[in-house]
Structures are given as structure tokens and as C-alpha cells.
Tab-separated table of all heavy atoms in Angstrom:
chain	number	residue	atom	x	y	z
A	1	ALA	N	52.531	-45.692	46.368
A	1	ALA	CA	52.809	-44.928	45.153
A	1	ALA	C	53.820	-43.821	45.376
A	1	ALA	O	54.693	-43.579	44.533
A	1	ALA	CB	51.508	-44.343	44.601
A	2	THR	N	53.724	-43.134	46.522
A	2	THR	CA	54.537	-41.933	46.749
A	2	THR	C	55.695	-42.158	47.716
A	2	THR	O	56.651	-41.381	47.719
A	2	THR	CB	53.666	-40.804	47.317
A	2	THR	OG1	53.220	-41.161	48.643
A	2	THR	CG2	52.461	-40.544	46.420
A	3	GLY	N	55.580	-43.156	48.573
A	3	GLY	CA	56.592	-43.359	49.608
A	3	GLY	C	56.474	-42.396	50.769
A	3	GLY	O	57.325	-42.415	51.667
A	4	GLU	N	55.431	-41.568	50.806
A	4	GLU	CA	55.286	-40.579	51.879
A	4	GLU	C	54.792	-41.272	53.146
A	4	GLU	O	53.653	-41.737	53.230
A	4	GLU	CB	54.333	-39.471	51.448
A	4	GLU	CG	54.877	-38.628	50.299
A	4	GLU	CD	54.084	-37.368	50.068
A	4	GLU	OE1	53.457	-36.863	51.035
A	4	GLU	OE2	54.072	-36.877	48.924
A	5	VAL	N	55.663	-41.283	54.157
A	5	VAL	CA	55.418	-42.076	55.362
A	5	VAL	C	54.228	-41.554	56.156
A	5	VAL	O	53.611	-42.302	56.924
A	5	VAL	CB	56.694	-42.094	56.234
A	5	VAL	CG1	56.492	-42.958	57.466
A	5	VAL	CG2	57.871	-42.619	55.423
A	6	ARG	N	53.846	-40.307	55.967
A	6	ARG	CA	52.730	-39.752	56.726
A	6	ARG	C	51.451	-40.550	56.492
A	6	ARG	O	50.567	-40.577	57.348
A	6	ARG	CB	52.508	-38.285	56.372
A	6	ARG	CG	52.206	-38.019	54.906
A	6	ARG	CD	52.294	-36.529	54.574
A	6	ARG	NE	52.119	-36.260	53.161
A	6	ARG	CZ	50.937	-36.027	52.596
A	6	ARG	NH1	49.841	-36.030	53.340
A	6	ARG	NH2	50.853	-35.776	51.304
A	7	TYR	N	51.335	-41.209	55.355
A	7	TYR	CA	50.147	-42.025	55.126
A	7	TYR	C	50.126	-43.248	56.036
A	7	TYR	O	49.051	-43.773	56.346
A	7	TYR	CB	50.057	-42.436	53.660
A	7	TYR	CG	49.776	-41.271	52.728
A	7	TYR	CD1	50.665	-40.937	51.700
A	7	TYR	CD2	48.636	-40.491	52.893
A	7	TYR	CE1	50.412	-39.865	50.847
A	7	TYR	CE2	48.373	-39.423	52.051
A	7	TYR	CZ	49.262	-39.114	51.029
A	7	TYR	OH	49.001	-38.048	50.200
A	8	ALA	N	51.285	-43.707	56.473
A	8	ALA	CA	51.319	-44.792	57.459
A	8	ALA	C	50.804	-44.306	58.807
A	8	ALA	O	50.188	-45.074	59.563
A	8	ALA	CB	52.733	-45.347	57.595
A	9	ASP	N	51.053	-43.033	59.139
A	9	ASP	CA	50.471	-42.447	60.351
A	9	ASP	C	48.949	-42.473	60.276
A	9	ASP	O	48.259	-42.754	61.273
A	9	ASP	CB	50.938	-40.999	60.524
A	9	ASP	CG	52.366	-40.881	61.027
A	9	ASP	OD1	53.062	-41.909	61.126
A	9	ASP	OD2	52.788	-39.746	61.316
A	10	VAL	N	48.403	-42.151	59.116
A	10	VAL	CA	46.951	-42.165	58.922
A	10	VAL	C	46.408	-43.572	59.142
A	10	VAL	O	45.406	-43.771	59.836
A	10	VAL	CB	46.585	-41.660	57.513
A	10	VAL	CG1	45.090	-41.806	57.248
A	10	VAL	CG2	47.025	-40.214	57.328
A	11	ILE	N	47.073	-44.553	58.548
A	11	ILE	CA	46.644	-45.945	58.699
A	11	ILE	C	46.660	-46.344	60.168
A	11	ILE	O	45.711	-46.959	60.672
A	11	ILE	CB	47.544	-46.867	57.859
A	11	ILE	CG1	47.310	-46.613	56.371
A	11	ILE	CG2	47.299	-48.331	58.202
A	11	ILE	CD1	48.301	-47.308	55.452
A	12	GLU	N	47.728	-45.999	60.865
A	12	GLU	CA	47.838	-46.349	62.277
A	12	GLU	C	46.694	-45.744	63.083
A	12	GLU	O	46.066	-46.419	63.921
A	12	GLU	CB	49.174	-45.855	62.834
A	12	GLU	CG	49.356	-46.116	64.318
A	12	GLU	CD	50.684	-45.616	64.835
A	12	GLU	OE1	50.885	-44.382	64.870
A	12	GLU	OE2	51.523	-46.459	65.188
A	13	ARG	N	46.390	-44.485	62.850
A	13	ARG	CA	45.314	-43.802	63.589
A	13	ARG	C	43.980	-44.519	63.377
A	13	ARG	O	43.215	-44.748	64.322
A	13	ARG	CB	45.229	-42.339	63.146
A	13	ARG	CG	44.153	-41.528	63.857
A	13	ARG	CD	44.247	-40.058	63.511
A	13	ARG	NE	45.470	-39.465	64.029
A	13	ARG	CZ	45.620	-39.005	65.270
A	13	ARG	NH1	44.612	-39.086	66.125
A	13	ARG	NH2	46.758	-38.472	65.653
A	14	ILE	N	43.676	-44.869	62.141
A	14	ILE	CA	42.407	-45.532	61.844
A	14	ILE	C	42.373	-46.929	62.443
A	14	ILE	O	41.352	-47.361	63.002
A	14	ILE	CB	42.187	-45.587	60.321
A	14	ILE	CG1	42.078	-44.172	59.748
A	14	ILE	CG2	40.933	-46.380	59.986
A	14	ILE	CD1	42.129	-44.127	58.225
A	15	LEU	N	43.477	-47.648	62.345
A	15	LEU	CA	43.505	-49.017	62.870
A	15	LEU	C	43.215	-49.047	64.369
A	15	LEU	O	42.389	-49.842	64.840
A	15	LEU	CB	44.862	-49.660	62.588
A	15	LEU	CG	45.148	-50.062	61.144
A	15	LEU	CD1	46.573	-50.603	61.020
A	15	LEU	CD2	44.151	-51.103	60.649
A	16	TYR	N	43.873	-48.188	65.134
A	16	TYR	CA	43.731	-48.250	66.584
A	16	TYR	C	42.446	-47.625	67.098
A	16	TYR	O	42.003	-47.958	68.217
A	16	TYR	CB	44.933	-47.590	67.267
A	16	TYR	CG	46.158	-48.474	67.289
A	16	TYR	CD1	47.236	-48.228	66.448
A	16	TYR	CD2	46.220	-49.577	68.129
A	16	TYR	CE1	48.358	-49.049	66.455
A	16	TYR	CE2	47.335	-50.405	68.146
A	16	TYR	CZ	48.395	-50.142	67.308
A	16	TYR	OH	49.493	-50.975	67.313
A	17	ASN	N	41.828	-46.742	66.318
A	17	ASN	CA	40.703	-45.981	66.848
A	17	ASN	C	39.382	-46.182	66.117
A	17	ASN	O	38.345	-45.764	66.627
A	17	ASN	CB	41.067	-44.495	66.868
A	17	ASN	CG	42.289	-44.227	67.712
A	17	ASN	OD1	42.288	-44.483	68.915
A	17	ASN	ND2	43.364	-43.764	67.086
A	18	VAL	N	39.401	-46.817	64.960
A	18	VAL	CA	38.157	-47.180	64.270
A	18	VAL	C	38.079	-48.701	64.151
A	18	VAL	O	37.158	-49.330	64.677
A	18	VAL	CB	38.052	-46.518	62.878
A	18	VAL	CG1	36.784	-46.977	62.177
A	18	VAL	CG2	38.056	-44.997	62.999
A	19	VAL	N	39.057	-49.298	63.496
A	19	VAL	CA	39.017	-50.747	63.246
A	19	VAL	C	39.024	-51.524	64.565
A	19	VAL	O	38.216	-52.444	64.762
A	19	VAL	CB	40.189	-51.173	62.345
A	19	VAL	CG1	40.239	-52.689	62.199
A	19	VAL	CG2	40.060	-50.508	60.974
A	20	ALA	N	39.905	-51.169	65.490
A	20	ALA	CA	39.975	-51.890	66.764
A	20	ALA	C	38.743	-51.652	67.620
A	20	ALA	O	38.408	-52.474	68.479
A	20	ALA	CB	41.231	-51.472	67.535
A	21	THR	N	38.062	-50.549	67.409
A	21	THR	CA	36.857	-50.234	68.168
A	21	THR	C	35.659	-51.013	67.668
A	21	THR	O	34.725	-51.302	68.422
A	21	THR	CB	36.566	-48.716	68.064
A	21	THR	OG1	37.741	-47.980	68.386
A	21	THR	CG2	35.445	-48.295	69.003
A	22	ALA	N	35.676	-51.375	66.396
A	22	ALA	CA	34.472	-51.874	65.746
A	22	ALA	C	33.991	-53.212	66.293
A	22	ALA	O	32.787	-53.425	66.464
A	22	ALA	CB	34.713	-51.987	64.240
A	23	ILE	N	34.903	-54.133	66.558
A	23	ILE	CA	34.527	-55.523	66.808
A	23	ILE	C	34.490	-55.831	68.301
A	23	ILE	O	35.398	-55.456	69.052
A	23	ILE	CB	35.510	-56.482	66.106
A	23	ILE	CG1	35.625	-56.139	64.614
A	23	ILE	CG2	35.072	-57.928	66.282
A	23	ILE	CD1	34.355	-56.301	63.833
A	24	GLU	N	33.444	-56.536	68.721
A	24	GLU	CA	33.333	-56.993	70.102
A	24	GLU	C	34.463	-57.983	70.415
A	24	GLU	O	35.063	-58.578	69.519
A	24	GLU	CB	31.965	-57.650	70.310
A	24	GLU	CG	31.628	-58.030	71.738
A	24	GLU	CD	31.768	-56.877	72.709
A	24	GLU	OE1	30.816	-56.093	72.850
A	24	GLU	OE2	32.863	-56.755	73.319
A	25	ASP	N	34.749	-58.173	71.697
A	25	ASP	CA	35.891	-58.995	72.091
A	25	ASP	C	35.785	-60.441	71.614
A	25	ASP	O	36.811	-61.107	71.434
A	25	ASP	CB	36.057	-58.963	73.610
A	25	ASP	CG	36.575	-57.628	74.114
A	25	ASP	OD1	37.123	-56.859	73.298
A	25	ASP	OD2	36.434	-57.351	75.322
A	26	ASP	N	34.569	-60.928	71.428
A	26	ASP	CA	34.421	-62.300	70.932
A	26	ASP	C	34.211	-62.352	69.427
A	26	ASP	O	34.039	-63.433	68.857
A	26	ASP	CB	33.267	-63.015	71.646
A	26	ASP	CG	31.906	-62.385	71.359
A	26	ASP	OD1	31.836	-61.381	70.623
A	26	ASP	OD2	30.898	-62.911	71.883
A	27	GLY	N	34.225	-61.193	68.766
A	27	GLY	CA	34.083	-61.140	67.321
A	27	GLY	C	32.665	-61.310	66.824
A	27	GLY	O	32.439	-61.396	65.609
A	28	ARG	N	31.677	-61.323	67.711
A	28	ARG	CA	30.313	-61.667	67.326
A	28	ARG	C	29.337	-60.505	67.467
A	28	ARG	O	28.115	-60.712	67.521
A	28	ARG	CB	29.842	-62.876	68.131
A	28	ARG	CG	30.696	-64.107	67.860
A	28	ARG	CD	30.296	-65.315	68.692
A	28	ARG	NE	31.195	-66.437	68.407
A	28	ARG	CZ	31.009	-67.312	67.428
A	28	ARG	NH1	29.947	-67.193	66.639
A	28	ARG	NH2	31.871	-68.292	67.231
A	29	ALA	N	29.838	-59.313	67.524
A	29	ALA	CA	29.023	-58.098	67.479
A	29	ALA	C	29.939	-56.980	67.010
A	29	ALA	O	31.163	-57.063	67.135
A	29	ALA	CB	28.418	-57.778	68.847
A	30	PHE	N	29.336	-55.922	66.460
A	30	PHE	CA	30.174	-54.887	65.872
A	30	PHE	C	29.420	-53.570	65.764
A	30	PHE	O	28.192	-53.530	65.720
A	30	PHE	CB	30.680	-55.324	64.487
A	30	PHE	CG	29.591	-55.646	63.484
A	30	PHE	CD1	29.232	-54.730	62.507
A	30	PHE	CD2	28.936	-56.859	63.515
A	30	PHE	CE1	28.230	-55.016	61.591
A	30	PHE	CE2	27.932	-57.164	62.602
A	30	PHE	CZ	27.578	-56.236	61.627
A	31	PHE	N	30.194	-52.510	65.756
A	31	PHE	CA	29.661	-51.176	65.486
A	31	PHE	C	29.542	-50.971	63.985
A	31	PHE	O	30.453	-51.322	63.224
A	31	PHE	CB	30.599	-50.089	66.022
A	31	PHE	CG	30.469	-49.793	67.489
A	31	PHE	CD1	31.604	-49.620	68.266
A	31	PHE	CD2	29.234	-49.650	68.088
A	31	PHE	CE1	31.513	-49.319	69.614
A	31	PHE	CE2	29.120	-49.350	69.440
A	31	PHE	CZ	30.260	-49.187	70.197
């Protein structure tokens, strides 16, 4: 909506530190 790139920084932070953390390496367990 705004084009403000800082929101992409937010997405990156969550992806690498919450989303990537959540799933076990085989995909069959999760936080």
C-alpha cells in the first residue's frame, strides 16, 4: 500500500527468526 521498504525488513526478520524456527527439519514437528 505504501511502498515503504522498511516493512520488507520486518518480514525478513520474522521469516528468518520465527517462521524458520517453527518447523522441524523433517516438517513433522513444530513450535
